[in-house]
PDB file of all heavy atoms in Angstrom:
ATOM      1  N   ILE A  52      14.313  39.474 -15.820  1.00 76.00           N
ATOM      2  CA  ILE A  52      13.099  40.315 -15.674  1.00 76.00           C
ATOM      3  C   ILE A  52      12.601  40.918 -16.946  1.00 76.00           C
ATOM      4  O   ILE A  52      11.427  40.896 -17.321  1.00 76.00           O
ATOM      5  CB  ILE A  52      13.374  41.424 -14.587  1.00 76.00           C
ATOM      6  CG1 ILE A  52      13.261  40.748 -13.212  1.00 76.00           C
ATOM      7  CG2 ILE A  52      12.371  42.602 -14.648  1.00 76.00           C
ATOM      8  CD1 ILE A  52      13.723  41.662 -12.146  1.00 76.00           C
ATOM      9  N   GLU A 118      23.044  50.398   2.755  1.00 55.00           N
ATOM     10  CA  GLU A 118      23.619  49.376   1.869  1.00 55.00           C
ATOM     11  C   GLU A 118      25.149  49.374   1.936  1.00 55.00           C
ATOM     12  O   GLU A 118      25.808  48.428   1.670  1.00 55.00           O
ATOM     13  CB  GLU A 118      23.118  49.629   0.450  1.00 55.00           C
ATOM     14  CG  GLU A 118      21.634  49.337   0.232  1.00 55.00           C
ATOM     15  CD  GLU A 118      21.220  49.349  -1.161  1.00 55.00           C
ATOM     16  OE1 GLU A 118      21.917  49.996  -1.972  1.00 55.00           O
ATOM     17  OE2 GLU A 118      20.254  48.683  -1.494  1.00 55.00           O
ATOM     18  N   TYR A 184      17.307  33.166  -1.251  1.00 80.00           N
ATOM     19  CA  TYR A 184      17.612  34.606  -1.565  1.00 80.00           C
ATOM     20  C   TYR A 184      17.162  35.527  -0.455  1.00 80.00           C
ATOM     21  O   TYR A 184      17.918  36.416   0.009  1.00 80.00           O
ATOM     22  CB  TYR A 184      16.934  34.967  -2.918  1.00 80.00           C
ATOM     23  CG  TYR A 184      17.119  36.310  -3.305  1.00 80.00           C
ATOM     24  CD1 TYR A 184      18.394  36.900  -3.681  1.00 80.00           C
ATOM     25  CD2 TYR A 184      16.104  37.205  -3.592  1.00 80.00           C
ATOM     26  CE1 TYR A 184      18.543  38.193  -4.101  1.00 80.00           C
ATOM     27  CE2 TYR A 184      16.251  38.543  -4.032  1.00 80.00           C
ATOM     28  CZ  TYR A 184      17.523  38.965  -4.308  1.00 80.00           C
ATOM     29  OH  TYR A 184      17.696  40.257  -4.731  1.00 80.00           O
ATOM     30  N   ILE A 188      19.312  38.012   2.289  1.00 76.00           N
ATOM     31  CA  ILE A 188      19.047  39.443   2.433  1.00 76.00           C
ATOM     32  C   ILE A 188      18.947  39.787   3.923  1.00 76.00           C
ATOM     33  O   ILE A 188      19.568  40.730   4.391  1.00 76.00           O
ATOM     34  CB  ILE A 188      17.854  39.821   1.622  1.00 76.00           C
ATOM     35  CG1 ILE A 188      18.091  39.725   0.098  1.00 76.00           C
ATOM     36  CG2 ILE A 188      17.338  41.197   2.024  1.00 76.00           C
ATOM     37  CD1 ILE A 188      16.832  40.065  -0.759  1.00 76.00           C
ATOM     38  N   GLY A 251      10.816  40.293   1.418  1.00 76.00           N
ATOM     39  CA  GLY A 251      12.062  39.743   1.354  1.00 76.00           C
ATOM     40  C   GLY A 251      12.970  40.263   0.252  1.00 76.00           C
ATOM     41  O   GLY A 251      14.191  40.467   0.441  1.00 76.00           O
ATOM     42  N   THR A 252      12.349  40.546  -0.882  1.00 73.00           N
ATOM     43  CA  THR A 252      13.154  40.919  -2.070  1.00 73.00           C
ATOM     44  C   THR A 252      13.312  42.428  -2.251  1.00 73.00           C
ATOM     45  O   THR A 252      14.229  42.955  -2.846  1.00 73.00           O
ATOM     46  CB  THR A 252      12.515  40.404  -3.433  1.00 73.00           C
ATOM     47  OG1 THR A 252      11.273  40.957  -3.543  1.00 73.00           O
ATOM     48  CG2 THR A 252      12.398  38.920  -3.336  1.00 73.00           C
ATOM     49  N   SER A 253      12.293  43.223  -1.663  1.00 74.00           N
ATOM     50  CA  SER A 253      12.235  44.638  -1.870  1.00 74.00           C
ATOM     51  C   SER A 253      12.244  45.059  -3.396  1.00 74.00           C
ATOM     52  O   SER A 253      12.733  46.121  -3.728  1.00 74.00           O
ATOM     53  CB  SER A 253      13.447  45.367  -1.141  1.00 74.00           C
ATOM     54  OG  SER A 253      13.358  45.171   0.264  1.00 74.00           O
ATOM     55  N   SER A 254      11.707  44.190  -4.213  1.00 74.00           N
ATOM     56  CA  SER A 254      11.740  44.421  -5.609  1.00 74.00           C
ATOM     57  C   SER A 254      10.364  43.979  -6.196  1.00 74.00           C
ATOM     58  O   SER A 254       9.943  42.900  -6.139  1.00 74.00           O
ATOM     59  CB  SER A 254      12.804  43.585  -6.314  1.00 74.00           C
ATOM     60  OG  SER A 254      12.730  43.679  -7.780  1.00 74.00           O
ATOM     61  N   SER A 255       9.698  44.998  -6.834  1.00 77.00           N
ATOM     62  CA  SER A 255       8.427  44.725  -7.484  1.00 77.00           C
ATOM     63  C   SER A 255       8.568  43.818  -8.660  1.00 77.00           C
ATOM     64  O   SER A 255       7.825  42.860  -8.885  1.00 77.00           O
ATOM     65  CB  SER A 255       7.820  46.041  -7.949  1.00 77.00           C
ATOM     66  OG  SER A 255       7.492  46.875  -6.925  1.00 77.00           O
ATOM     67  N   ALA A 256       9.671  44.025  -9.377  1.00 74.00           N
ATOM     68  CA  ALA A 256       9.928  43.267 -10.612  1.00 74.00           C
ATOM     69  C   ALA A 256      10.225  41.789 -10.238  1.00 74.00           C
ATOM     70  O   ALA A 256       9.783  40.805 -10.867  1.00 74.00           O
ATOM     71  CB  ALA A 256      11.037  43.828 -11.422  1.00 74.00           C
ATOM     72  N   ALA A 257      11.066  41.589  -9.234  1.00 76.00           N
ATOM     73  CA  ALA A 257      11.452  40.265  -8.806  1.00 76.00           C
ATOM     74  C   ALA A 257      10.304  39.482  -8.210  1.00 76.00           C
ATOM     75  O   ALA A 257      10.302  38.204  -8.175  1.00 76.00           O
ATOM     76  CB  ALA A 257      12.578  40.339  -7.760  1.00 76.00           C
ATOM     77  N   PRO A 330      12.753  51.846 -11.964  1.00 50.00           N
ATOM     78  CA  PRO A 330      12.961  50.429 -12.103  1.00 50.00           C
ATOM     79  C   PRO A 330      12.409  49.658 -10.956  1.00 50.00           C
ATOM     80  O   PRO A 330      12.458  50.147  -9.803  1.00 50.00           O
ATOM     81  CB  PRO A 330      14.462  50.275 -12.226  1.00 50.00           C
ATOM     82  CG  PRO A 330      15.070  51.436 -11.496  1.00 50.00           C
ATOM     83  CD  PRO A 330      14.068  52.576 -11.720  1.00 50.00           C
ATOM     84  N   GLY A 331      11.833  48.484 -11.206  1.00 51.00           N
ATOM     85  CA  GLY A 331      11.263  47.768 -10.068  1.00 51.00           C
ATOM     86  C   GLY A 331      12.231  46.876  -9.334  1.00 51.00           C
ATOM     87  O   GLY A 331      12.132  45.698  -9.170  1.00 51.00           O
ATOM     88  N   VAL A 332      13.382  47.510  -8.855  1.00 52.00           N
ATOM     89  CA  VAL A 332      14.418  46.920  -8.141  1.00 52.00           C
ATOM     90  C   VAL A 332      14.579  47.579  -6.783  1.00 52.00           C
ATOM     91  O   VAL A 332      14.051  48.695  -6.555  1.00 52.00           O
ATOM     92  CB  VAL A 332      15.716  47.058  -8.927  1.00 52.00           C
ATOM     93  CG1 VAL A 332      15.666  46.306 -10.250  1.00 52.00           C
ATOM     94  CG2 VAL A 332      16.153  48.420  -9.139  1.00 52.00           C
ATOM     95  N   PRO A 333      15.222  46.949  -5.808  1.00 56.00           N
ATOM     96  CA  PRO A 333      15.297  47.544  -4.471  1.00 56.00           C
ATOM     97  C   PRO A 333      15.910  48.939  -4.567  1.00 56.00           C
ATOM     98  O   PRO A 333      17.049  49.175  -5.071  1.00 56.00           O
ATOM     99  CB  PRO A 333      16.254  46.593  -3.749  1.00 56.00           C
ATOM    100  CG  PRO A 333      16.070  45.259  -4.389  1.00 56.00           C
ATOM    101  CD  PRO A 333      15.788  45.588  -5.877  1.00 56.00           C
ATOM    102  N   GLY A 334      15.241  49.959  -3.872  1.00 57.00           N
ATOM    103  CA  GLY A 334      15.704  51.296  -3.906  1.00 57.00           C
ATOM    104  C   GLY A 334      15.489  52.074  -5.210  1.00 57.00           C
ATOM    105  O   GLY A 334      15.863  53.231  -5.242  1.00 57.00           O
ATOM    106  N   GLY A 335      14.836  51.428  -6.169  1.00 60.00           N
ATOM    107  CA  GLY A 335      14.737  52.047  -7.464  1.00 60.00           C
ATOM    108  C   GLY A 335      13.876  53.340  -7.442  1.00 60.00           C
ATOM    109  O   GLY A 335      14.220  54.336  -8.079  1.00 60.00           O
ATOM    110  N   ALA A 336      12.837  53.336  -6.606  1.00 71.00           N
ATOM    111  CA  ALA A 336      11.902  54.441  -6.534  1.00 71.00           C
ATOM    112  C   ALA A 336      12.564  55.711  -5.954  1.00 71.00           C
ATOM    113  O   ALA A 336      12.499  56.840  -6.505  1.00 71.00           O
ATOM    114  CB  ALA A 336      10.671  54.120  -5.695  1.00 71.00           C
ATOM    115  N   ILE A 337      13.296  55.539  -4.818  1.00 74.00           N
ATOM    116  CA  ILE A 337      13.911  56.694  -4.191  1.00 74.00           C
ATOM    117  C   ILE A 337      15.137  57.233  -4.997  1.00 74.00           C
ATOM    118  O   ILE A 337      15.317  58.458  -5.088  1.00 74.00           O
ATOM    119  CB  ILE A 337      14.383  56.272  -2.757  1.00 74.00           C
ATOM    120  CG1 ILE A 337      14.921  57.641  -2.018  1.00 74.00           C
ATOM    121  CG2 ILE A 337      15.464  55.283  -2.819  1.00 74.00           C
ATOM    122  CD1 ILE A 337      13.845  58.655  -1.830  1.00 74.00           C
ATOM    123  N   MET A 338      15.803  56.393  -5.751  1.00 66.00           N
ATOM    124  CA  MET A 338      16.880  56.832  -6.559  1.00 66.00           C
ATOM    125  C   MET A 338      16.362  57.584  -7.743  1.00 66.00           C
ATOM    126  O   MET A 338      16.898  58.588  -8.213  1.00 66.00           O
ATOM    127  CB  MET A 338      17.761  55.663  -7.117  1.00 66.00           C
ATOM    128  CG  MET A 338      18.420  54.849  -5.997  1.00 66.00           C
ATOM    129  SD  MET A 338      19.277  55.880  -4.786  1.00 66.00           S
ATOM    130  CE  MET A 338      20.562  56.598  -5.752  1.00 66.00           C
ATOM    131  N   TYR A 362      14.582  55.509   3.476  1.00 73.00           N
ATOM    132  CA  TYR A 362      13.760  54.719   2.614  1.00 73.00           C
ATOM    133  C   TYR A 362      14.306  53.378   2.414  1.00 73.00           C
ATOM    134  O   TYR A 362      13.502  52.346   2.517  1.00 73.00           O
ATOM    135  CB  TYR A 362      13.792  55.478   1.258  1.00 73.00           C
ATOM    136  CG  TYR A 362      12.818  54.854   0.224  1.00 73.00           C
ATOM    137  CD1 TYR A 362      11.572  55.347   0.056  1.00 73.00           C
ATOM    138  CD2 TYR A 362      13.290  53.726  -0.525  1.00 73.00           C
ATOM    139  CE1 TYR A 362      10.734  54.776  -0.827  1.00 73.00           C
ATOM    140  CE2 TYR A 362      12.426  53.192  -1.444  1.00 73.00           C
ATOM    141  CZ  TYR A 362      11.146  53.672  -1.611  1.00 73.00           C
ATOM    142  OH  TYR A 362      10.296  53.089  -2.549  1.00 73.00           O
ATOM    143  N   ILE A 363      15.625  53.166   2.199  1.00 66.00           N
ATOM    144  CA  ILE A 363      16.160  51.842   1.907  1.00 66.00           C
ATOM    145  C   ILE A 363      15.953  50.956   3.128  1.00 66.00           C
ATOM    146  O   ILE A 363      15.782  49.728   3.075  1.00 66.00           O
ATOM    147  CB  ILE A 363      17.522  51.909   1.474  1.00 66.00           C
ATOM    148  CG1 ILE A 363      17.598  52.545   0.053  1.00 66.00           C
ATOM    149  CG2 ILE A 363      18.251  50.587   1.402  1.00 66.00           C
ATOM    150  CD1 ILE A 363      18.956  52.783  -0.608  1.00 66.00           C
ATOM    151  N   ASP A 366      12.583  49.673   2.805  1.00 71.00           N
ATOM    152  CA  ASP A 366      12.115  49.650   1.449  1.00 71.00           C
ATOM    153  C   ASP A 366      11.052  48.551   1.209  1.00 71.00           C
ATOM    154  O   ASP A 366      10.126  48.730   0.418  1.00 71.00           O
ATOM    155  CB  ASP A 366      13.288  49.420   0.538  1.00 71.00           C
ATOM    156  CG  ASP A 366      12.951  49.475  -0.921  1.00 71.00           C
ATOM    157  OD1 ASP A 366      11.988  50.171  -1.272  1.00 71.00           O
ATOM    158  OD2 ASP A 366      13.679  48.952  -1.772  1.00 71.00           O
ATOM    159  N   SER A 367      11.234  47.421   1.888  1.00 78.00           N
ATOM    160  CA  SER A 367      10.395  46.270   1.619  1.00 78.00           C
ATOM    161  C   SER A 367       8.912  46.542   1.902  1.00 78.00           C
ATOM    162  O   SER A 367       8.020  45.979   1.137  1.00 78.00           O
ATOM    163  CB  SER A 367      10.864  45.128   2.452  1.00 78.00           C
ATOM    164  OG  SER A 367      10.847  45.384   3.847  1.00 78.00           O
ATOM    165  N   THR A 370       7.392  48.335  -1.113  1.00 84.00           N
ATOM    166  CA  THR A 370       7.352  47.337  -2.229  1.00 84.00           C
ATOM    167  C   THR A 370       6.208  46.331  -2.132  1.00 84.00           C
ATOM    168  O   THR A 370       5.555  46.003  -3.056  1.00 84.00           O
ATOM    169  CB  THR A 370       8.662  46.641  -2.392  1.00 84.00           C
ATOM    170  OG1 THR A 370       9.700  47.563  -2.506  1.00 84.00           O
ATOM    171  CG2 THR A 370       8.693  45.748  -3.636  1.00 84.00           C
TER     172      THR A 370
END
Side-chain angles (χ1 to χ4, degrees):
I52 282 169
E118 291 190 334
Y184 179 63
I188 290 175
T252 63
S253 297
S254 170
S255 298
V332 298
I337 188 61
M338 300 311 297
Y362 184 95
I363 292 179
D366 187 23
S367 56
T370 304

